[in-house]
């Protein structure tokens, strides 16, 4: 398993569009088992654990990815994009 940093805006599983931060969020922030996350994302458990290792081994890079994502989201809001919560309210 390799973590790629070239084609997307942040580190991700090579050959996939699954970011390291997404995996970390699902496992550590949402408290889901690594094996469950692996099944949901069509990954091996080793890939999930590898992504978690990468996340914790590269704290500066991950903070920078989080900062850049926050900037992109802020710019999108300034450009008129709606949040998921706003879209959900419109559908209700």
């Amino acid at each position: 398993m390799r973590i790629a940093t070239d084609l997307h805006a942040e580190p991700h599983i090579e050959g996939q569009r699954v970011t390291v931060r997404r995996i970390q969020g699902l496992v550590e922030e949402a408290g889901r088992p690594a094996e469950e996350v692996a099944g949901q994302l069509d990954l091996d458990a080793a890939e999930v654990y590898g992504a978690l290792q990468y996340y914790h081994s590269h704290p500066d890079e991950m903070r920078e990815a989080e900062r850049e994502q926050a900037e992109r989201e802020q710019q999108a809001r300034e450009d008129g994009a709606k949040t998921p919560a706003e879209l959900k309210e419109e559908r209700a």
Side-chain angles (χ1 to χ4, degrees):
M1 190 272 319
R2 292 180 42 135
I3 301 294
T5 58
D6 51 352
L7 297 177
H8 298 287
E10 62 182 273
H12 59 280
I13 304 293
E14 186 174 55
Q16 304 279 333
R17 291 184 176 202
V18 179
T19 67
V20 168
R21 282 189 322 117
R22 179 168 184 212
I23 292 170
Q24 185 273 335
L26 289 169
V27 174
E28 295 180 349
E29 293 176 20
R32 297 181 55 202
E35 292 76 13
E36 179 183 314
V37 171
Q40 175 192 354
L41 300 176
D42 196 29
L43 301 171
D44 296 330
E47 291 172 309
V48 171
Y49 288 116
L52 293 171
Q53 178 183 17
Y54 187 92
Y55 180 90
H56 291 289
S57 298
H58 298 84
D60 294 337
E61 182 180 358
M62 299 316 303
R63 273 193 299 277
E64 179 65 14
E66 290 167 8
R67 186 193 63 73
E68 289 175 359
Q69 179 64 30
E71 286 180 2
R72 285 190 298 274
E73 289 172 2
Q74 180 61 36
Q75 185 61 52
R77 282 191 292 279
E78 290 172 7
D79 292 343
K82 296 181 180 182
T83 66
E86 291 169 332
L87 292 171
K88 187 175 181 180
E89 284 179 20
E90 286 182 1
R91 293 182 190 142

